[in-house]
Amino acid sequence: MNHEIVLFIIKLILGGIAAFMAIFVMSKTRDASWMFLVAGFLFSYAALVIELMEELGIFDVNAVTIFGFPLIPLLCAIIPSVLFITAFIIKLSKKQ
């Protein structure tokens, strides 16, 4: 079996567990910082699925470009980071 496929399977399993736990935490808390953190994990998992679909040839991520950059990989890289940054800023700005 190809080592890249095994690595993707491991990433999907662990990412699926993390996404499930994130959804579970989201249902238990209503704190804005936690919600953004959970959304970041979910978007990271979605980016992993999109990457796997591209690797298998199911999905062409380079089909849509903006200023010469492929849009989907750009969004997959930016959105989780922005959500994590927002979560940490909200957490830091709260007064204890």
Coordinates of all heavy atoms in Angstrom, one line a residue:
M1 N 0.8 -1.2 0.0 CA 0.0 0.0 0.0 C 0.9 1.2 0.0 O 1.9 1.3 0.7 CB -0.9 0.0 1.2 CG -2.0 1.1 1.2 SD -3.1 0.9 2.6 CE -4.6 0.5 1.8
N2 N 0.5 2.2 -0.7 CA 1.2 3.5 -0.9 C 1.3 4.2 0.5 O 0.3 4.3 1.2 CB 0.6 4.3 -1.9 CG 1.4 5.5 -2.3 OD1 2.5 5.8 -1.7 ND2 1.0 6.2 -3.3
H3 N 2.5 4.7 0.9 CA 2.6 5.3 2.2 C 1.8 6.6 2.3 O 1.4 7.0 3.3 CB 4.1 5.6 2.5 CG 4.8 6.6 1.6 ND1 5.2 6.3 0.4 CD2 5.0 7.9 1.9 CE1 5.8 7.4 -0.1 NE2 5.7 8.3 0.7
E4 N 1.6 7.3 1.1 CA 0.8 8.5 1.1 C -0.7 8.2 1.5 O -1.3 9.0 2.2 CB 0.9 9.2 -0.2 CG 2.3 9.8 -0.5 CD 2.3 10.5 -1.8 OE1 1.3 10.7 -2.5 OE2 3.5 10.9 -2.2
I5 N -1.2 7.1 0.9 CA -2.6 6.7 1.2 C -2.7 6.4 2.7 O -3.7 6.8 3.3 CB -3.0 5.6 0.3 CG1 -2.9 6.0 -1.2 CG2 -4.4 5.1 0.7 CD1 -3.9 7.1 -1.5
V6 N -1.7 5.7 3.3 CA -1.8 5.3 4.7 C -1.8 6.6 5.5 O -2.5 6.7 6.5 CB -0.6 4.4 5.1 CG1 -0.5 4.1 6.5 CG2 -0.7 3.1 4.3
L7 N -0.9 7.5 5.2 CA -0.9 8.8 5.9 C -2.2 9.5 5.8 O -2.7 10.1 6.8 CB 0.3 9.7 5.3 CG 0.5 11.0 6.0 CD1 0.9 10.7 7.5 CD2 1.6 11.8 5.3
F8 N -2.8 9.6 4.6 CA -4.1 10.2 4.5 C -5.2 9.5 5.4 O -6.0 10.1 6.0 CB -4.6 10.2 3.1 CG -4.2 11.5 2.3 CD1 -3.4 11.5 1.2 CD2 -4.7 12.7 2.7 CE1 -3.0 12.6 0.6 CE2 -4.4 13.9 2.1 CZ -3.6 13.8 1.0
I9 N -5.1 8.2 5.4 CA -6.1 7.4 6.2 C -5.9 7.8 7.7 O -6.9 8.0 8.4 CB -6.0 5.9 6.0 CG1 -6.4 5.6 4.6 CG2 -6.7 5.1 7.0 CD1 -6.1 4.2 4.1
I10 N -4.7 7.8 8.2 CA -4.4 8.2 9.5 C -4.9 9.6 9.8 O -5.6 9.9 10.9 CB -2.9 8.1 9.9 CG1 -2.5 6.6 9.8 CG2 -2.6 8.7 11.2 CD1 -1.0 6.3 9.9
K11 N -4.6 10.5 8.9 CA -5.1 11.9 9.1 C -6.6 12.0 9.1 O -7.2 12.7 9.9 CB -4.6 12.8 7.9 CG -3.1 13.2 8.0 CD -2.8 14.1 6.8 CE -1.4 14.5 6.7 NZ -1.1 15.3 5.6
L12 N -7.3 11.2 8.2 CA -8.7 11.3 8.2 C -9.3 10.7 9.5 O -10.3 11.2 10.0 CB -9.3 10.5 7.0 CG -9.2 11.2 5.7 CD1 -9.6 10.3 4.5 CD2 -10.0 12.4 5.7
I13 N -8.7 9.6 10.0 CA -9.3 9.0 11.2 C -9.1 10.0 12.4 O -10.0 10.2 13.1 CB -8.6 7.6 11.5 CG1 -9.1 6.6 10.5 CG2 -8.9 7.1 12.9 CD1 -8.3 5.3 10.5
L14 N -7.9 10.5 12.6 CA -7.6 11.4 13.7 C -8.4 12.7 13.5 O -8.9 13.2 14.5 CB -6.1 11.6 13.9 CG -5.3 10.4 14.3 CD1 -3.8 10.7 14.3 CD2 -5.8 9.9 15.6
G15 N -8.4 13.2 12.3 CA -9.2 14.4 12.0 C -10.7 14.2 12.3 O -11.4 15.1 12.8
G16 N -11.2 13.0 11.9 CA -12.6 12.7 12.2 C -12.9 12.7 13.7 O -13.9 13.2 14.1
I17 N -12.0 12.1 14.4 CA -12.2 12.1 15.9 C -12.2 13.5 16.5 O -13.0 13.9 17.3 CB -11.1 11.2 16.6 CG1 -11.3 9.7 16.2 CG2 -11.1 11.4 18.1 CD1 -10.2 8.8 16.6
A18 N -11.2 14.3 16.0 CA -11.1 15.7 16.4 C -12.4 16.5 16.0 O -12.9 17.3 16.8 CB -9.9 16.4 15.9
A19 N -12.9 16.3 14.8 CA -14.1 17.0 14.4 C -15.3 16.5 15.2 O -16.1 17.4 15.6 CB -14.3 16.7 12.9
F20 N -15.4 15.2 15.5 CA -16.5 14.7 16.3 C -16.5 15.4 17.7 O -17.5 15.8 18.2 CB -16.5 13.2 16.4 CG -17.5 12.7 17.4 CD1 -18.8 12.6 17.0 CD2 -17.1 12.2 18.6 CE1 -19.8 12.1 17.9 CE2 -18.0 11.7 19.5 CZ -19.4 11.7 19.2
M21 N -15.3 15.4 18.3 CA -15.1 16.0 19.6 C -15.4 17.5 19.6 O -16.0 18.0 20.5 CB -13.7 15.7 20.2 CG -13.4 14.3 20.4 SD -14.6 13.5 21.4 CE -13.9 13.5 22.9
A22 N -15.0 18.2 18.5 CA -15.3 19.6 18.3 C -16.8 19.8 18.3 O -17.3 20.8 18.9 CB -14.6 20.1 17.1
I23 N -17.5 19.0 17.5 CA -19.0 19.2 17.5 C -19.6 18.9 18.8 O -20.5 19.6 19.3 CB -19.6 18.2 16.4 CG1 -19.1 18.7 15.0 CG2 -21.1 18.2 16.5 CD1 -19.4 17.7 13.9
F24 N -19.1 17.9 19.6 CA -19.6 17.6 20.9 C -19.4 18.8 21.8 O -20.2 19.1 22.6 CB -18.9 16.3 21.4 CG -19.4 15.9 22.8 CD1 -20.6 15.3 22.9 CD2 -18.6 16.0 23.9 CE1 -21.1 14.9 24.1 CE2 -19.0 15.6 25.1 CZ -20.3 15.0 25.2
V25 N -18.2 19.4 21.8 CA -17.9 20.6 22.6 C -18.8 21.7 22.2 O -19.3 22.5 23.1 CB -16.4 20.9 22.5 CG1 -16.1 22.3 23.1 CG2 -15.5 19.9 23.2
M26 N -19.0 21.9 20.9 CA -19.8 23.0 20.4 C -21.2 22.9 21.0 O -21.9 23.9 21.3 CB -19.9 23.0 18.9 CG -20.6 24.2 18.4 SD -20.8 24.2 16.6 CE -19.1 24.5 16.0
S27 N -21.7 21.7 21.1 CA -23.1 21.5 21.7 C -23.2 21.7 23.2 O -24.2 22.0 23.7 CB -23.6 20.1 21.4 OG -22.9 19.1 22.1
K28 N -22.0 21.6 23.9 CA -22.0 21.8 25.3 C -21.7 23.3 25.8 O -22.0 23.6 26.9 CB -21.0 20.9 25.9 CG -21.3 19.4 25.7 CD -22.5 19.0 26.6 CE -22.7 17.5 26.4 NZ -23.9 17.1 27.0
T29 N -21.1 24.1 24.9 CA -20.7 25.4 25.3 C -21.3 26.5 24.4 O -21.6 26.2 23.3 CB -19.1 25.5 25.3 OG1 -18.8 26.8 25.8 CG2 -18.5 25.3 23.9
R30 N -21.4 27.6 24.9 CA -21.9 28.7 24.2 C -21.0 29.9 24.2 O -21.3 31.0 23.9 CB -23.3 29.2 24.7 CG -24.4 28.2 24.6 CD -24.7 27.9 23.1 NE -25.8 26.9 23.0 CZ -25.7 25.8 22.3 NH1 -24.6 25.7 21.5 NH2 -26.6 25.0 22.2
D31 N -19.7 29.6 24.6 CA -18.7 30.6 24.7 C -18.2 30.9 23.2 O -17.9 30.0 22.5 CB -17.6 30.1 25.5 CG -16.5 31.2 25.8 OD1 -16.8 32.4 25.8 OD2 -15.3 30.8 26.0
A32 N -18.1 32.2 22.9 CA -17.7 32.6 21.5 C -16.3 32.1 21.2 O -16.1 31.7 20.0 CB -17.8 34.1 21.4
S33 N -15.4 32.2 22.1 CA -14.0 31.8 21.8 C -14.0 30.3 21.5 O -13.3 29.9 20.5 CB -13.1 32.2 22.9 OG -13.4 31.5 24.1
W34 N -14.7 29.5 22.2 CA -14.8 28.1 22.0 C -15.4 27.8 20.6 O -15.0 26.9 19.9 CB -15.5 27.3 23.1 CG -14.6 26.9 24.2 CD1 -14.5 27.5 25.4 CD2 -13.6 25.8 24.2 NE1 -13.6 26.8 26.1 CE2 -13.0 25.8 25.4 CE3 -13.3 24.9 23.2 CZ2 -12.0 24.9 25.7 CZ3 -12.3 24.0 23.5 CH2 -11.7 24.0 24.8
M35 N -16.5 28.5 20.3 CA -17.1 28.3 19.0 C -16.2 28.6 17.8 O -16.2 27.8 16.9 CB -18.4 29.2 18.9 CG -19.4 29.0 20.0 SD -20.2 27.4 19.9 CE -21.5 27.8 18.9
F36 N -15.4 29.6 17.9 CA -14.5 29.9 16.8 C -13.4 28.9 16.8 O -12.9 28.5 15.7 CB -13.8 31.3 17.0 CG -14.7 32.4 16.5 CD1 -15.5 33.2 17.3 CD2 -14.7 32.7 15.1 CE1 -16.3 34.2 16.8 CE2 -15.5 33.7 14.6 CZ -16.3 34.4 15.5
L37 N -12.9 28.4 17.9 CA -11.9 27.3 17.9 C -12.5 26.0 17.3 O -11.8 25.4 16.5 CB -11.5 27.1 19.4 CG -10.2 26.3 19.6 CD1 -9.0 27.1 19.1 CD2 -10.0 26.1 21.1
V38 N -13.7 25.7 17.6 CA -14.3 24.5 17.1 C -14.5 24.7 15.6 O -14.2 23.7 14.8 CB -15.7 24.2 17.8 CG1 -16.5 23.3 17.0 CG2 -15.5 23.8 19.2
A39 N -15.0 25.8 15.1 CA -15.1 26.1 13.7 C -13.8 26.0 13.0 O -13.7 25.4 11.9 CB -15.7 27.5 13.5
G40 N -12.7 26.4 13.6 CA -11.4 26.2 13.0 C -11.0 24.8 12.8 O -10.4 24.4 11.8
F41 N -11.3 23.9 13.8 CA -11.0 22.5 13.7 C -11.9 21.9 12.6 O -11.4 21.1 11.8 CB -11.3 21.8 15.0 CG -10.2 21.9 16.0 CD1 -10.4 22.6 17.2 CD2 -8.9 21.3 15.7 CE1 -9.4 22.7 18.1 CE2 -7.9 21.4 16.6 CZ -8.1 22.1 17.8
L42 N -13.1 22.3 12.5 CA -14.0 21.7 11.4 C -13.5 22.1 10.1 O -13.5 21.3 9.1 CB -15.4 22.2 11.7 CG -16.1 21.6 12.9 CD1 -17.5 22.1 13.1 CD2 -16.1 20.1 12.9
F43 N -13.1 23.4 9.9 CA -12.6 23.8 8.6 C -11.3 23.2 8.3 O -11.0 22.9 7.1 CB -12.5 25.4 8.5 CG -13.7 26.1 8.1 CD1 -14.6 26.6 9.0 CD2 -14.1 26.2 6.7 CE1 -15.7 27.3 8.6 CE2 -15.2 26.8 6.3 CZ -16.1 27.3 7.3
S44 N -10.5 22.9 9.3 CA -9.2 22.2 9.0 C -9.5 20.7 8.5 O -8.8 20.3 7.6 CB -8.4 22.1 10.3 OG -8.0 23.3 10.7
Y45 N -10.5 20.1 9.1 CA -10.9 18.8 8.6 C -11.4 18.8 7.2 O -11.1 18.0 6.4 CB -11.9 18.1 9.6 CG -12.2 16.7 9.2 CD1 -11.2 15.7 9.4 CD2 -13.4 16.3 8.7 CE1 -11.5 14.4 9.1 CE2 -13.7 15.0 8.4 CZ -12.7 14.0 8.6 OH -13.0 12.7 8.3
A46 N -12.3 19.8 6.9 CA -12.8 20.0 5.6 C -11.7 20.2 4.6 O -11.7 19.6 3.4 CB -13.8 21.1 5.5
A47 N -10.7 20.9 4.9 CA -9.5 21.2 4.1 C -8.8 19.8 3.8 O -8.3 19.6 2.7 CB -8.6 22.2 4.7
L48 N -8.7 19.0 4.8 CA -8.0 17.7 4.7 C -8.8 16.8 3.7 O -8.2 16.2 2.8 CB -7.9 17.0 6.0 CG -7.3 15.6 6.0 CD1 -5.9 15.6 5.6 CD2 -7.5 15.0 7.4
V49 N -10.1 16.8 3.8 CA -11.0 16.1 2.9 C -10.8 16.6 1.4 O -10.7 15.8 0.5 CB -12.4 16.1 3.3 CG1 -13.4 15.5 2.3 CG2 -12.6 15.4 4.7
I50 N -10.8 17.9 1.3 CA -10.6 18.5 -0.1 C -9.3 18.1 -0.6 O -9.1 17.8 -1.8 CB -10.8 20.0 0.0 CG1 -12.3 20.3 0.2 CG2 -10.3 20.7 -1.3 CD1 -12.5 21.8 0.5
E51 N -8.2 18.1 0.2 CA -6.9 17.7 -0.2 C -6.9 16.2 -0.7 O -6.2 15.9 -1.7 CB -5.9 17.9 0.9 CG -4.5 17.6 0.6 CD -3.5 17.8 1.8 OE1 -3.9 18.4 2.8 OE2 -2.4 17.3 1.7
L52 N -7.5 15.4 0.1 CA -7.6 14.0 -0.3 C -8.4 13.8 -1.6 O -8.0 13.0 -2.5 CB -8.3 13.2 0.8 CG -8.5 11.7 0.5 CD1 -7.2 11.0 0.3 CD2 -9.3 11.0 1.5
M53 N -9.5 14.5 -1.8 CA -10.2 14.5 -3.0 C -9.4 14.9 -4.2 O -9.5 14.3 -5.3 CB -11.5 15.3 -2.9 CG -12.5 14.6 -2.0 SD -14.0 15.6 -1.6 CE -14.6 16.2 -3.2
E54 N -8.6 15.9 -4.0 CA -7.7 16.4 -5.1 C -6.6 15.3 -5.4 O -6.3 15.0 -6.6 CB -7.0 17.7 -4.7 CG -6.0 18.1 -5.8 CD -5.0 19.2 -5.3 OE1 -4.9 19.3 -4.1 OE2 -4.4 19.8 -6.2
E55 N -6.1 14.7 -4.4 CA -5.0 13.7 -4.5 C -5.6 12.5 -5.3 O -4.9 11.9 -6.1 CB -4.5 13.3 -3.2 CG -3.3 12.3 -3.2 CD -2.1 13.1 -3.6 OE1 -1.9 14.3 -3.4 OE2 -1.2 12.4 -4.2
L56 N -6.8 12.1 -5.1 CA -7.5 11.0 -5.7 C -8.0 11.4 -7.1 O -8.4 10.5 -7.9 CB -8.6 10.4 -4.9 CG -8.2 9.8 -3.6 CD1 -9.4 9.4 -2.8 CD2 -7.3 8.6 -3.8
G57 N -7.9 12.6 -7.5 CA -8.4 13.1 -8.8 C -9.9 13.3 -8.9 O -10.4 13.4 -10.0
I58 N -10.6 13.3 -7.8 CA -12.0 13.6 -7.8 C -12.4 15.0 -8.0 O -13.4 15.4 -8.6 CB -12.6 13.0 -6.5 CG1 -12.4 11.5 -6.4 CG2 -14.1 13.4 -6.3 CD1 -12.7 11.0 -5.0
F59 N -11.5 15.9 -7.5 CA -11.8 17.3 -7.4 C -10.6 18.1 -7.9 O -9.4 17.8 -7.5 CB -12.1 17.6 -5.9 CG -12.7 19.0 -5.7 CD1 -13.9 19.3 -6.2 CD2 -12.0 19.9 -4.9 CE1 -14.4 20.6 -6.0 CE2 -12.5 21.2 -4.7 CZ -13.8 21.5 -5.2
D60 N -10.8 19.1 -8.7 CA -9.7 19.9 -9.2 C -9.8 21.3 -8.5 O -10.6 22.1 -8.7 CB -9.9 20.2 -10.7 CG -8.8 21.0 -11.3 OD1 -7.7 21.1 -10.7 OD2 -9.0 21.6 -12.4
V61 N -8.8 21.4 -7.6 CA -8.8 22.6 -6.8 C -8.2 23.8 -7.5 O -8.4 25.0 -7.0 CB -8.0 22.4 -5.4 CG1 -8.6 21.4 -4.6 CG2 -6.5 22.1 -5.7
N62 N -7.6 23.6 -8.6 CA -7.0 24.7 -9.4 C -8.0 25.3 -10.4 O -7.6 26.1 -11.2 CB -5.7 24.3 -10.1 CG -4.7 23.8 -9.0 OD1 -4.5 24.5 -8.0 ND2 -4.0 22.8 -9.3
A63 N -9.2 24.9 -10.4 CA -10.2 25.3 -11.4 C -10.5 26.8 -11.3 O -10.7 27.5 -12.3 CB -11.4 24.4 -11.4
V64 N -10.6 27.2 -10.1 CA -11.0 28.6 -9.8 C -9.8 29.4 -9.3 O -9.2 29.0 -8.3 CB -12.2 28.7 -8.8 CG1 -12.6 30.1 -8.5 CG2 -13.4 27.9 -9.2
T65 N -9.5 30.5 -10.0 CA -8.3 31.3 -9.5 C -8.7 32.7 -9.3 O -9.6 33.2 -10.0 CB -7.1 31.2 -10.5 OG1 -7.6 31.7 -11.8 CG2 -6.7 29.8 -10.7
I66 N -8.0 33.4 -8.4 CA -8.2 34.8 -8.2 C -6.8 35.4 -8.2 O -5.9 35.0 -7.4 CB -8.9 35.1 -6.9 CG1 -10.3 34.6 -6.9 CG2 -8.8 36.6 -6.5 CD1 -11.1 34.9 -5.7
F67 N -6.5 36.3 -9.2 CA -5.2 36.9 -9.4 C -4.1 35.9 -9.5 O -3.0 36.1 -9.1 CB -4.9 37.9 -8.2 CG -5.9 39.0 -8.0 CD1 -6.7 39.0 -6.8 CD2 -6.1 39.9 -9.0 CE1 -7.6 40.0 -6.6 CE2 -7.1 40.9 -8.8 CZ -7.8 41.0 -7.6
G68 N -4.4 34.8 -10.2 CA -3.5 33.7 -10.4 C -3.3 32.7 -9.3 O -2.6 31.7 -9.5
F69 N -3.9 32.9 -8.2 CA -3.9 32.0 -7.1 C -5.1 31.1 -7.1 O -6.2 31.6 -7.2 CB -3.8 32.7 -5.7 CG -2.6 33.5 -5.5 CD1 -2.6 34.9 -5.5 CD2 -1.4 32.8 -5.1 CE1 -1.4 35.6 -5.3 CE2 -0.2 33.5 -4.9 CZ -0.3 34.9 -5.0
P70 N -4.9 29.8 -6.9 CA -6.1 28.9 -6.8 C -6.9 29.2 -5.5 O -6.3 29.3 -4.4 CB -5.5 27.5 -6.7 CG -4.0 27.7 -6.5 CD -3.7 29.1 -6.8
L71 N -8.2 29.5 -5.7 CA -9.0 30.0 -4.6 C -9.2 28.9 -3.5 O -9.1 29.3 -2.3 CB -10.4 30.4 -5.1 CG -11.4 30.9 -4.1 CD1 -10.8 32.2 -3.5 CD2 -12.7 31.2 -4.8
I72 N -9.5 27.7 -3.8 CA -9.8 26.7 -2.8 C -8.6 26.4 -1.9 O -8.8 26.5 -0.6 CB -10.4 25.4 -3.4 CG1 -11.7 25.8 -4.1 CG2 -10.6 24.3 -2.4 CD1 -12.3 24.7 -5.0
P73 N -7.4 26.2 -2.3 CA -6.3 26.0 -1.4 C -6.0 27.2 -0.6 O -5.6 27.1 0.6 CB -5.1 25.6 -2.3 CG -5.7 25.1 -3.5 CD -7.0 25.8 -3.7
L74 N -6.2 28.4 -1.2 CA -6.0 29.6 -0.4 C -7.0 29.7 0.7 O -6.6 30.0 1.8 CB -6.2 30.8 -1.4 CG -5.9 32.2 -0.8 CD1 -4.4 32.3 -0.4 CD2 -6.2 33.3 -1.8
L75 N -8.3 29.4 0.5 CA -9.3 29.5 1.5 C -9.0 28.4 2.6 O -9.2 28.7 3.8 CB -10.7 29.4 0.9 CG -11.2 30.5 0.1 CD1 -12.5 30.2 -0.5 CD2 -11.2 31.8 0.9
C76 N -8.6 27.2 2.1 CA -8.3 26.1 3.1 C -7.2 26.5 4.0 O -7.1 26.0 5.1 CB -8.0 24.9 2.3 SG -9.5 24.1 1.6
A77 N -6.3 27.3 3.5 CA -5.1 27.7 4.4 C -5.5 28.9 5.3 O -5.0 29.0 6.4 CB -3.9 28.1 3.5
I78 N -6.3 29.8 4.8 CA -6.6 31.0 5.5 C -7.7 30.9 6.5 O -7.6 31.4 7.7 CB -6.9 32.2 4.5 CG1 -5.7 32.5 3.7 CG2 -7.5 33.4 5.2 CD1 -6.0 33.5 2.6
I79 N -8.8 30.3 6.2 CA -10.0 30.3 7.1 C -9.7 29.6 8.4 O -10.0 30.2 9.5 CB -11.2 29.6 6.4 CG1 -11.7 30.5 5.2 CG2 -12.3 29.4 7.3 CD1 -12.8 30.0 4.4
P80 N -9.1 28.4 8.5 CA -8.9 27.9 9.9 C -8.0 28.8 10.7 O -8.2 29.0 11.9 CB -8.2 26.6 9.6 CG -8.6 26.2 8.3 CD -8.7 27.5 7.5
S81 N -6.9 29.4 10.1 CA -6.0 30.3 10.9 C -6.8 31.5 11.4 O -6.6 31.9 12.5 CB -4.8 30.7 10.0 OG -4.1 29.5 9.7
V82 N -7.6 32.1 10.5 CA -8.4 33.3 10.9 C -9.3 32.9 12.1 O -9.5 33.7 13.0 CB -9.1 33.9 9.7 CG1 -10.1 34.9 10.2 CG2 -8.1 34.5 8.7
L83 N -9.9 31.8 12.0 CA -10.8 31.4 13.1 C -10.1 31.1 14.4 O -10.6 31.5 15.5 CB -11.6 30.1 12.7 CG -12.7 30.3 11.6 CD1 -13.2 29.0 11.1 CD2 -13.8 31.2 12.0
F84 N -8.9 30.5 14.3 CA -8.1 30.3 15.5 C -7.6 31.6 16.1 O -7.7 31.8 17.3 CB -6.9 29.4 15.2 CG -7.2 28.0 14.9 CD1 -6.5 27.3 13.9 CD2 -8.2 27.3 15.6 CE1 -6.8 26.0 13.7 CE2 -8.5 26.0 15.3 CZ -7.8 25.3 14.3
I85 N -7.2 32.5 15.3 CA -6.7 33.8 15.7 C -7.9 34.6 16.4 O -7.7 35.2 17.5 CB -6.2 34.7 14.6 CG1 -4.8 34.1 14.1 CG2 -6.0 36.1 14.9 CD1 -4.3 34.6 12.8
T86 N -9.1 34.5 15.8 CA -10.2 35.2 16.4 C -10.6 34.6 17.7 O -10.9 35.3 18.7 CB -11.4 35.0 15.4 OG1 -11.1 35.6 14.1 CG2 -12.7 35.8 15.9
A87 N -10.5 33.3 17.9 CA -10.8 32.6 19.1 C -9.9 33.1 20.2 O -10.3 33.4 21.3 CB -10.7 31.1 19.0
F88 N -8.6 33.2 19.9 CA -7.6 33.6 20.9 C -7.7 35.0 21.2 O -7.6 35.4 22.4 CB -6.2 33.2 20.4 CG -5.9 31.8 20.3 CD1 -5.3 31.3 19.2 CD2 -6.3 30.9 21.3 CE1 -5.1 29.9 19.0 CE2 -6.1 29.5 21.2 CZ -5.4 29.0 20.1
I89 N -8.1 35.9 20.3 CA -8.3 37.3 20.6 C -9.5 37.5 21.5 O -9.4 38.2 22.5 CB -8.5 38.1 19.3 CG1 -7.1 38.2 18.5 CG2 -9.0 39.5 19.5 CD1 -7.2 38.8 17.2
I90 N -10.6 36.7 21.2 CA -11.7 36.8 22.1 C -11.4 36.4 23.5 O -11.8 37.0 24.5 CB -12.9 36.0 21.5 CG1 -13.4 36.7 20.2 CG2 -14.0 35.9 22.5 CD1 -14.4 35.8 19.5
K91 N -10.7 35.3 23.6 CA -10.3 34.7 24.9 C -9.4 35.7 25.7 O -9.6 35.9 26.9 CB -9.6 33.4 24.7 CG -9.5 32.6 26.0 CD -10.8 32.1 26.4 CE -10.7 31.0 27.5 NZ -12.0 30.7 28.0
L92 N -8.5 36.3 25.0 CA -7.6 37.3 25.6 C -8.3 38.6 26.0 O -7.9 39.2 27.0 CB -6.4 37.6 24.7 CG -5.3 36.5 24.6 CD1 -4.3 36.9 23.5 CD2 -4.6 36.2 25.9
S93 N -9.3 39.0 25.3 CA -10.0 40.2 25.5 C -11.0 40.1 26.6 O -11.4 41.2 27.2 CB -10.6 40.8 24.3 OG -11.7 39.9 23.9
K94 N -11.4 38.9 27.0 CA -12.3 38.8 28.1 C -11.7 39.1 29.5 O -10.6 38.7 29.7 CB -12.9 37.3 28.2 CG -13.9 37.1 27.1 CD -14.5 35.7 27.3 CE -15.6 35.5 26.3 NZ -16.2 34.2 26.5
K95 N -12.4 39.8 30.3 CA -12.0 40.1 31.6 C -12.4 39.0 32.6 O -13.5 38.6 32.6 CB -12.5 41.5 32.0 CG -12.1 42.6 31.2 CD -12.6 43.9 31.7 CE -12.0 45.0 30.7 NZ -12.5 46.3 31.1
Q96 N -11.4 38.6 33.3 CA -11.7 37.5 34.3 C -12.3 38.0 35.6 O -11.9 38.8 36.2 CB -10.4 36.7 34.5 CG -9.8 36.1 33.3 CD -10.7 35.0 32.8 OE1 -11.4 34.3 33.5 NE2 -10.7 34.8 31.5

